[in-house]
Amino acid sequence: MSVDTKKPGTDAGLRRGVMSGPELFAQAIANIAPSAVIAFTAAAIYTTAANGTIYSFLLATLVILAVGYCISQFAKQHASAGSLYTYVAKGLGPFGAFLTGVTLIIGCWGIAAGSLQGSVTYFTQFLNLLGLPASGLASDILLTVVLGGLAILFTIRGIRMSARVSLVLELVSVAIIFGLLVLALIWAGPRALDLSQFSFEGIQPQGVAVGMVLAILGFVGFSSADALGREAKNPYTAIPRAIMWSAAGVGVLYVFSAYTQVILLGDKLGTSASPLEDIAHIIGMPEWFGPVLTFGVAASFFAVVVAPLNVVGRIFYVMGKEGVAPEQFGRTHERFLTPHRALLLFGPIAIIVDIILLTMGVAGGDILVWVDTFGTYGYMFAYSLVAVAAVVYFKKHGIRNRMVTFCATIAVLSMAYVLYANLFPVPAFPLNVIPYLFFIVVIAALCRYVFLVRKRPAVIAMIGETDADTLEGI
C-alpha cells in the first residue's frame, strides 16, 4: 500500500498534453450536441422562416464563426484551463474576466442540467420501446441520478475518458441521423433537388432573422475545447482548429438536415412533434429503427451533459487556484488529475435542481427548455465579452487586425439581437422570469467580486494570470 507523501492542501495539477486534435474536436462537438439540435430546431425555425430555414442556419453559422474567430485569436497566444475567463482578462481586466467566468459557468452548468433531462426523457422512451417499464416520477428520478452520476464519474475519471465517451456517443447519434437523412433523399428521388429553398422568392427577412435566434442557440458550447489548454497537445494550434472546424462542420450538418427535412415534410415540418420519426415513417424504415433513433438522441443529450461539466470543472478550478473561488477548489484529484472538487459541486447541483423540478410536476421536456434557456443567457454574455476583449487586447498591444474588429462587431450585435428576441415579445411563464433569475444569480456572484476588491486586492491582481505552465501543480 502506497503512502501519500503530498502535503495537505497541495495541488496535483492537470495532465499536460494528453488530448489529441480529434479528442479536442470531440469535446467541442459533444458540447454542441448537434443530434439533439437536429431533432427539434429545424421544425421550430420553420414556423417563422418557412423555406428560408436553411438561410437561418447558414447565417447563424457565419455569426458563430465570427465569435469563434475572436476566441481562436486568443487561443493562438494563450493556453489555460480558464477558457474565456482567462482570455477576457487579457483585454478587459479583472472585472471583465470575473463576469465572463460567472456567466460561462452559468452557461455550461445550465446546458448540462437541462440536457440531463433531455437524456432522461429519451432513455425513458427508448426503454418503453424495448418493452421495459419505465415511467412515472420514481423512474424519472432514478434515471436522473444514474445518468447524472455516470456523467460526474466520467468527468472525474479523466478528460480522455470523458472525451472519448462523448465522441463515441455523438458519432453513433450523428451516424444514425445522417444515415436516415441520406436514405430520405434517395427515397425522394427527383424531389431531392429542391431549388425553391435556394430562391429568395417568398422568404420573409424578419422570419429568417427570428429563426436565426434558435439556430444560434444550437451552437452554444462550440468553443469548449479552449478549457483544455493544459491538457491539449500543441494547444496553440489544435485548440483554434477545434473551435473553428467544429462550428463549420456542425453548421454544414445543420443546413443539410434542414434542407432534407423541408423536402420530406414540407409545411408539416412546422407542426411536427418529432420530425425525424415522421421521416422514418414516411420512407418506410423498419420497426427496429425507432428504438435505434431514440437511443441516438438520448446518447447525444448525455454527451452534452458530460462535455460542459468538463468546462465548468476547469474554469472553477482556475478560479480556485487564483483565490477568486474558495481555494479548496483549486486542487485536482491526486490520481486522476481532474478538478474533482468542482465537479462534485456542480454535478450534484444539476441533479438536485432537476429532481426538485420533477417533484414539482414539471415535465422533463419543459425542464430541458427552461434550464437550457437559463444557461444560454450565460453563453451569450460570455461570447459578447470575449469579442469585445479581443478588440481591446489587439489595440492595447498595437496589433492591427481588422478581421477581429469586423467579427467582434458581428458577434456583439448578433448576441444583442438574440437577447432582445428572447425578451420581446414577452414570452409566457416561466420563460418570462428566467432572464431575471439569470441576472439575480450574476448580481449575487458579483458580491464575491466586491468582497475580493475590499478584502483581498492581491487576488484581483492575479485574475486571468493562470496559464498552462502554472497548472503544473504545487
Side-chain angles (χ1 to χ4, degrees), residues 279-371:
I279 290 174
H281 177 73
I282 289 172
I283 68 175
M285 293 296 290
E287 188 175 342
W288 56 261
F289 186 77
V292 171
L293 179 61
T294 303
F295 175 81
V297 178
S300 179
F301 273 118
F302 181 75
V304 83
V305 179
V306 174
L309 280 181
N310 277 324
V311 180
V312 169
R314 280 149 183 80
I315 297 172
F316 209 65
Y317 163 67
V318 171
M319 289 177 132
K321 282 186 74 72
E322 295 177 349
V324 177
E327 286 83 349
Q328 59 264 37
F329 291 102
R331 302 170 201 156
T332 57
H333 194 283
E334 293 181 358
R335 177 183 173 190
F336 303 125
L337 303 183
T338 53
H340 62 300
R341 297 186 179 191
L343 294 168
L344 288 172
L345 171 66
F346 289 99
I349 290 176
I351 295 172
I352 291 169
V353 168
D354 282 4
I355 290 176
I356 290 173
L357 291 173
L358 286 170
T359 55
M360 291 173 61
V362 181
D366 289 334
I367 296 175
L368 167 65
V369 173
W370 298 354
V371 184

Side-chain angles (χ1 to χ4, degrees), residues 147-188:
L147 294 175
L150 284 174
I152 296 170
L153 174 64
F154 289 142
T155 54
I156 291 177
R157 287 282 296 179
I159 184 61
R160 296 191 77 187
M161 171 182 281
S162 60
R164 287 174 177 177
V165 168
S166 298
L167 174 61
V168 170
L169 292 176
E170 199 58 47
L171 281 179
V172 168
S173 182
V174 169
I176 292 170
I177 293 174
F178 184 76
L180 172 65
L181 296 177
V182 170
L183 289 174
L185 285 180
I186 295 173
W187 179 87

Side-chain angles (χ1 to χ4, degrees), residues 78-359:
H78 303 283
S80 177
S83 184
L84 307 186
Y85 162 78
T86 300
Y87 297 162
V88 172
K90 311 300 181 184
L92 300 182
F95 179 76
F98 183 89
L99 184 59
T100 302
V102 169
T103 55
L104 190 57
I105 286 174
I106 290 173
C108 294
W109 177 87
I111 297 300
S115 298
L116 176 57
Q117 278 312 296
S119 185
V120 168
T121 299
Y122 275 88
F123 268 117
T124 297
Q125 186 178 340
F126 171 70
L127 293 174
N128 289 331
L129 289 172
L130 294 180
L132 300 175
S135 60
L137 178 60
S139 175
D140 288 344
I141 291 177
L142 177 61
L143 275 174
T144 299
V145 172
V146 171
L147 294 175
L150 284 174
I152 296 170
L153 174 64
F154 289 142
T155 54
I156 291 177
R157 287 282 296 179
I159 184 61
R160 296 191 77 187
M161 171 182 281
S162 60
R164 287 174 177 177
V165 168
S166 298
L167 174 61
V168 170
L169 292 176
E170 199 58 47
L171 281 179
V172 168
S173 182
V174 169
I176 292 170
I177 293 174
F178 184 76
L180 172 65
L181 296 177
V182 170
L183 289 174
L185 285 180
I186 295 173
W187 179 87
R191 288 196 298 130
L193 181 60
D194 184 8
L195 296 178
S196 66
Q197 292 194 56
F198 301 100
S199 170
F200 293 104
E201 185 178 352
I203 293 178
Q204 297 296 325
Q206 175 67 19
V208 172
V210 172
M212 276 182 63
V213 174
L214 290 173
I216 289 173
L217 301 186
F219 285 90
V220 294
F222 78 102
S223 66
S224 62
D226 59 15
L228 306 178
R230 166 71 181 179
E231 294 147 302
K233 298 176 183 177
N234 303 315
Y236 302 106
T237 301
I239 291 177
R241 287 178 179 173
I243 291 171
M244 297 303 289
W245 281 107
S246 63
V250 169
V252 171
L253 184 61
Y254 285 166
V255 171
F256 170 73
S257 66
Y259 173 81
T260 306
Q261 290 180 61
V262 171
I263 288 175
L264 269 293
L265 298 177
D267 291 338
K268 295 180 181 179
L269 176 59
T271 57
S272 174
S274 184
L276 297 180
E277 289 184 18
D278 291 343
I279 290 174
H281 177 73
I282 289 172
I283 68 175
M285 293 296 290
E287 188 175 342
W288 56 261
F289 186 77
V292 171
L293 179 61
T294 303
F295 175 81
V297 178
S300 179
F301 273 118
F302 181 75
V304 83
V305 179
V306 174
L309 280 181
N310 277 324
V311 180
V312 169
R314 280 149 183 80
I315 297 172
F316 209 65
Y317 163 67
V318 171
M319 289 177 132
K321 282 186 74 72
E322 295 177 349
V324 177
E327 286 83 349
Q328 59 264 37
F329 291 102
R331 302 170 201 156
T332 57
H333 194 283
E334 293 181 358
R335 177 183 173 190
F336 303 125
L337 303 183
T338 53
H340 62 300
R341 297 186 179 191
L343 294 168
L344 288 172
L345 171 66
F346 289 99
I349 290 176
I351 295 172
I352 291 169
V353 168
D354 282 4
I355 290 176
I356 290 173
L357 291 173
L358 286 170
T359 55

